[in-house]
Structures are given as structure tokens and as C-alpha cells.
């Protein structure tokens, strides 16, 4: 039976377990799990396996359900587009984020909270673009400072404008002429999908 599910919410623990079930190493950070600490990773996988099973997202044999298989890119695929809220004392890689993730076959829009909850929508769903636009507008509100990374460049968004940025070793600096935030956001969805 093929899944018709187009959205799912997963915790950090469930994402770690998802990657484990697919024999993939998780490389993108998780806000509540230090991927450099194998004890934390193992504990997260154990909690995540139990949670996925209780939610009916794995079979009784411990295999992924059809509903979850459709979201395979979430486990370990690279982010083709990432928007990361910048806050004092919080690494942008574990901050609230909006990402377009793709493994080359499946693309998923993911809003990740600082609490480690990943709200996922398949990019092929007719509602995915509206979800992306709503969540990106929310994340890049007038008071926000957001780092936007896409394969074709980087921008720093603050006070309603987007400025091209250079990112090196997790640090960034603004450089170039600012553009209105709305101009950048309107281009991002189609630009990111071209690189999926």
C-alpha cells in the first residue's frame, strides 16, 4: 500500500531513529541531541524507536511504515535551502530553522523548532509552497535576524532586508547590496527546487 500522507511531525529522537533504521549517519545537527556524543545518540535512537512504534510509524518488526518511508530525505539528506534564526548564545545550526531537504528523489520542507520538533511537508504537496512561504515569513519577521543558506549563496536577513553574506567556518559577515526581504523570499522557493 502506498502512503498518501503528505505531512508528519517528528522529534529529534525520532529523526535519529529514522536515520538509524535507514542505516544512514545523521549529519545535520539536532537541537536536543549532540551528534558528537555517541551515548546521547544511542539514547536518542532508543527513545525514538519506541516513540515511532507507539505512533504506528514502524511495523511490529521494527521496519519503517509506508507513511514514514515517504519522508526518507528527512533522516540524513542535505539541506538544499536553510533559514536559521540567529539568537545570542545559540548556534545557528541548532536554532529554529526552515529547511528544504532533498535526497535527489524526495524533497521535504521542514520547520524545526528549538525544542527539536520537525514539522515536515512533502515538497510535491500542493500546500508545500504556501507552508514554506508562511513559515519563512514568520521566521524572518521584522524583528528577526536570520541566516539564509542555499546552494547558490547566502544572505543575512534583518529589519526587512536581505544582504548577501559570506559564511566561513560557521561564522558569517554581510557583504553586498541589500534587497527587500520579500524579493528574496519570492525567489527562494523556485531557486531551491531547481537544485533538488
Amino acid at each position: 500500500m502506498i502512503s498518501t500522507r503528505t505531512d508528519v511531525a517528528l522529534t529529534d529522537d525520532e529523526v535519529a531513529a529514522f536515520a538509524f533504521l535507514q542505516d544512514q549517519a545523521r549529519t545535520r545537527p539536532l537541537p536536543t541531541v549532540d551528534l558528537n556524543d555517541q551515548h546521547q545518540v544511542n539514547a536518542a535512537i532508543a527513545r525514538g524507536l519506541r516513540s515511532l512504534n507507539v505512533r504506528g510509524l514502524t511495523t511490529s518488526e521494527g521496519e519503517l511504515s509506508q507513511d514514514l518511508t515517504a519522508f526518507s530525505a528527512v533522516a540524513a539528506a542535505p539541506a538544499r535551502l536553510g533559514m536559521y534564526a540567529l539568537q545570542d548564545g545559540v548556534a545557528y545550526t541548532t536554532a529554529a530553522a526552515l529547511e528544504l531537504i532533498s535526497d535527489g528523489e524526495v524533497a521535504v520542507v521542514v520547520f524545526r523548532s528549538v525544542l527539536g520538533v520537525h514539522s515536515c511537508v512533502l515538497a510535491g504537496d500542493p500546500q508545500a509552497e504556501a507552508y514554506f512561504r508562511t513559515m519563512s515569513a514568520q521566521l524572518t519577521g521584522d524583528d528577526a535576524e536570520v541566516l539564509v543558506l542555499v546552494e547558490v549563496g547566502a544572505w543575512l536577513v534583518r529589519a526587512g532586508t536581505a544582504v548577501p553574506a559570506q559564511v566561513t567556518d560557521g561564522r558569517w559577515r554581510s557583504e553586498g547590496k541589500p534587497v527587500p526581504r520579500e524579493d528574496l523570499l519570492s525567489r527562494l522557493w523556485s531557486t531551491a527546487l531547481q537544485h533538488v
Side-chain angles (χ1 to χ4, degrees):
M1 180 172 124
I2 297 175
S3 172
T4 57
R5 185 174 194 154
T6 59
D7 66 300
V8 68
L10 300 168
T11 65
D12 277 354
D13 292 348
E14 291 170 335
V15 171
F18 191 3
F20 172 78
L21 288 171
Q22 292 187 301
D23 293 324
Q24 296 182 16
R26 173 72 184 192
T27 55
R28 288 190 331 279
L30 296 170
T32 65
V33 179
D34 181 354
L35 297 178
N36 294 316
D37 182 334
Q38 196 57 50
H39 177 72
Q40 273 195 37
V41 172
N42 291 343
I45 290 170
R47 290 188 305 266
L49 289 172
R50 181 176 56 238
S51 178
L52 290 173
N53 187 264
V54 167
R55 293 179 59 200
L57 295 173
T58 57
T59 66
S60 57
E61 293 82 30
E63 296 177 5
L64 295 173
S65 71
Q66 283 295 125
D67 279 346
L68 197 54
T69 301
F71 294 88
S72 61
V74 173
R80 304 297 182 179
L81 162 67
M83 304 174 93
Y84 306 95
L86 301 177
Q87 299 171 307
D88 289 338
V90 178
Y92 79 86
T93 52
T94 57
L98 181 66
E99 297 178 316
L100 177 66
I101 300 166
S102 174
D103 63 5
E105 294 178 24
V106 176
V108 183
V109 177
V110 179
F111 179 78
R112 181 190 71 210
S113 76
V114 293
L115 299 176
V117 176
H118 307 250
S119 300
C120 312
V121 178
L122 291 177
D125 181 280
Q127 300 302 313
E129 183 174 358
Y131 178 71
F132 174 83
R133 289 182 184 276
T134 298
M135 297 311 291
S136 62
Q138 180 179 324
L139 194 66
T140 62
D142 289 337
D143 296 336
E145 186 173 37
V146 177
L147 183 64
V148 178
L149 303 176
V150 65
E151 289 184 325
V152 294
W155 292 268
L156 185 62
V157 178
R158 66 164 75 112
T161 61
V163 180
Q166 182 69 34
V167 180
T168 308
D169 297 328
R171 299 191 179 276
W172 57 92
R173 69 176 193 277
S174 302
E175 56 181 39
K177 184 179 175 188
V179 297
R181 174 186 62 197
E182 290 74 22
D183 290 355
L184 173 65
L185 297 180
S186 67
R187 293 191 322 233
L188 284 178
W189 177 256
S190 58
T191 300
L193 284 180
Q194 289 172 7
H195 294 273
V196 168

